[in-house]
Each structure stands twice: as C-alpha cells, then as structure tokens.
Amino acid sequence: MRYVLLLLVVVGLGETGFAQIRVPIGKRKAADPVATTASEKAMLPRVGVPELIAMLEWTGKQIDTTLKKKGYLLMQKDVDSTSSLFLYSMLTKLEDGPTTVRSFSFMDAAVGELKSRMITYRTYDKNEFRDISSYLLANNYQKTNEFDFDEAKHSLYSNGTQEIRLKVITTVRDKRTFIAYELELGK
C-alpha cells in the first residue's frame, strides 16, 4: 500500500513543532461517527448560547481553538495596545440542503484596570435563530425592550445578571432580500 508523508507544522506563541502522519493513498476518510445526517452536520458549526456566554470568560486562545475545531476560519485580526478584534466565518454547504453562512467576532478592550469583551454571533439560518430564542426563553431570559434601528429590529433579553441583544437584520440588494440573525453579549 502506498503512503503519502504529510508534514504538519504547528505554530503557537513562538514555538514551532513538527509531526509526521502517514495517510494511505486512495483511502477515503471514514464517515463522521458523530454526525451522520445532513441536518446533524449542519448543526456542528453552530455555537450555542451557553458556549457564547462561557466565552466571555475564556482566553482568546480557547475561543480560537474551539472555533477552528468547528471549522471556522479566522478572517480578520486587529490588535493594538488597548484593544483587539477577531472575526471568524463559516460556510456550510450541504449536498442536499441550503448553504448557511455564520460569523463570530469578539472584541476585547482594556483601559488601565478596566477590561471588557463583546461577542457577536451571526447566522442566516432561521431555524438556528429560533433555537437561540427558545433557549433564552427556557432559561429565564425575559424581553426587556424592543426597538427598530435602521434595517435591524433589536430585542433585549435579560435574566437579571446577563443582558443579551438579538437582532433581525433585513437587507435588500439587487431586488433580493437577505435576513441575518445576530446575538450580541458582553461584559
């Protein structure tokens, strides 16, 4: 059996490591045992509300690792002495279903001893938005305010300690309507 020798380079915080893997030629990767149906595969790149809330306390490296494992790509990274912005995106194309676009961004800002983080998660999947809304209502989040701002309808939810903003953003381009669903939270 013929093998291809792959050389993987792992770069992290100034350290470089090398590993070798032998991959048989002509062999296909086994089916993912965790997700077998198209709808289950579409759910893999989702980032759930509990995970988003937990990310407020995670390090940037933990967030990066989690998103990359889900298949997100780092699209933009801006870092300076007081703030950092990271933007990730994911495109899911199913053979027997629609294409779904998701994006995730987080921004950290620090001035002296004050530190804050803002997380934004956007999807164009109406069912995913329905799941997010259902989670909030099932976990004691109450709608505290609702208003329109330009193309977006904002709804504020709070459980008494955490406030989450949901947006439904409608954009019309070339006679086509696109609807994005966005969740924002911060500390």
Side-chain angles (χ1 to χ4, degrees):
M1 184 177 298
R2 294 188 312 181
Y3 287 88
V4 173
L5 183 63
L6 295 178
L7 182 63
L8 299 176
V9 178
V10 180
V11 179
L13 299 177
E15 297 177 16
T16 304
F18 295 94
Q20 293 181 358
I21 299 175
R22 293 189 182 271
V23 179
I25 294 177
K27 293 259 183 169
R28 292 187 174 193
K29 184 179 172 185
D32 186 352
V34 176
T36 54
T37 68
S39 62
E40 288 173 333
K41 287 179 183 178
M43 292 184 73
L44 284 178
R46 288 184 177 189
V47 182
V49 178
E51 198 168 22
L52 291 167
I53 293 169
M55 286 179 179
L56 289 172
E57 304 301 327
W58 290 5
T59 65
K61 189 171 184 172
Q62 287 173 305
I63 293 172
D64 183 70
T65 300
T66 299
L67 292 174
K68 286 181 177 174
K69 282 182 181 177
K70 290 178 178 281
Y72 285 77
L73 298 173
L74 178 61
M75 304 301 288
Q76 181 180 350
K77 177 181 176 181
D78 293 320
V79 179
D80 63 32
S81 61
T82 59
S83 66
S84 59
L85 171 67
F86 298 86
L87 175 62
Y88 297 82
S89 66
M90 156 60 80
L91 177 71
T92 305
K93 174 67 177 137
L94 300 176
E95 290 178 23
D96 58 344
T99 299
T100 301
V101 177
R102 294 179 178 88
S103 67
F104 175 95
S105 66
F106 75 94
M107 184 173 118
D108 290 331
V111 177
E113 303 249 343
L114 299 173
K115 293 180 183 179
S116 69
R117 173 172 284 167
M118 171 70 83
I119 291 177
T120 303
Y121 179 71
R122 178 182 280 199
T123 182
Y124 290 83
D125 182 347
K126 187 175 187 175
N127 292 327
E128 186 174 1
F129 177 70
R130 193 173 304 134
D131 293 345
I132 290 169
S133 300
S134 296
Y135 175 86
L136 293 176
L137 294 174
N139 287 276
N140 299 320
Y141 283 85
Q142 303 294 318
K143 188 183 290 188
T144 59
N145 198 359
E146 188 172 51
F147 59 92
D148 292 345
F149 186 76
D150 290 335
E151 301 171 330
K153 294 181 183 267
H154 295 242
S155 298
L156 301 177
Y157 289 84
S158 177
N159 66 357
T161 58
Q162 176 72 51
E163 185 172 86
I164 295 177
R165 178 184 308 255
L166 293 184
K167 297 180 193 176
V168 178
I169 306 162
T170 305
T171 307
V172 179
R173 297 275 191 261
D174 300 325
K175 299 181 184 177
R176 293 182 65 192
T177 302
F178 300 94
I179 300 175
Y181 306 97
E182 194 171 274
L183 178 143
E184 280 184 0
L185 65 150
K187 68 169 189 160

